[in-house]
């Protein structure tokens, strides 16, 4: 907590940009400090991929994935944006990381 406000990091596929924005707003109004993604690679922010081929990881994507783990480190909990129950590999790894570090995990859809 920071100043009596719980800190929540949003996790999920960046294809769900609208849901990220709606959830960020709702959680903020509920009295949380919300940490989100910096880029929406699956919603138009091509800088994430910087020319990577299928099956490879760009340096930018590697950095963003590591940076998101640091955002989880700063949080009390994570909130998974799992529209339609979808949880991809990156999000699954973030959930496992959060649990391994004693963070509470909440989901948009149970």
């Amino acid at each position: 907590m920071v100043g009596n406000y719980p800190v929540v990091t949003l996790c999920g596929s960046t294809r769900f940009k609208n849901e990220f924005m709606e959830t960020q707003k709702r959680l903020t109004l509920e009295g949380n400090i919300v940490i989100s993604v910096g880029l929406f690679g699956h919603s138009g922010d091509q800088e994430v991929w910087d020319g990577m081929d299928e099956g490879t990881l760009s340096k930018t994507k590697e950095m963003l994935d590591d940076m998101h783990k640091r955002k989880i480190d700063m949080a009390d909990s994570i909130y998974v944006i799992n529209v339609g129950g979808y949880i991809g590999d990156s999000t699954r790894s973030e959930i496992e990381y959060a649990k391994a570090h004693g963070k509470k995990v909440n989901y948009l859809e149970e």
Side-chain angles (χ1 to χ4, degrees), residues 48-63:
V48 171
W49 312 115
D50 61 337
M52 72 186 233
D53 295 322
E54 185 70 29
T56 64
L57 212 56
S58 73
K59 293 293 182 194
T60 302
K61 174 76 166 104
E62 285 180 17
M63 177 194 70

Side-chain angles (χ1 to χ4, degrees), residues 5-48:
Y5 298 105
V7 180
V8 179
T9 295
L10 301 182
C11 298
S13 173
T14 58
R15 71 187 68 188
F16 303 127
K17 182 176 183 176
N18 291 337
E19 289 82 357
F20 264 87
M21 302 308 288
E22 290 169 15
T23 301
Q24 178 176 317
K25 183 189 296 187
R26 180 176 52 78
L27 291 175
T28 298
L29 290 171
E30 290 174 2
N32 298 281
I33 295 172
V34 180
I35 302 171
S36 189
V37 298
L39 295 166
F40 289 91
H42 290 293
S43 294
D45 289 332
Q46 293 304 311
E47 299 88 344
V48 171

Side-chain angles (χ1 to χ4, degrees), residues 1-2 5-11 27 32-36 67-80 94 97-106:
M1 291 188 106
V2 176
Y5 298 105
V7 180
V8 179
T9 295
L10 301 182
C11 298
L27 291 175
N32 298 281
I33 295 172
V34 180
I35 302 171
S36 189
M67 192 181 294
H68 208 73
K69 298 270 178 33
R70 303 299 72 82
K71 292 176 181 182
I72 292 169
D73 290 340
M74 293 188 287
D76 300 304
S77 66
I78 67 169
Y79 193 95
V80 181
E94 292 164 358
Y97 182 86
K99 287 179 178 178
H101 289 85
K103 309 295 179 172
K104 184 175 181 183
V105 180
N106 296 301

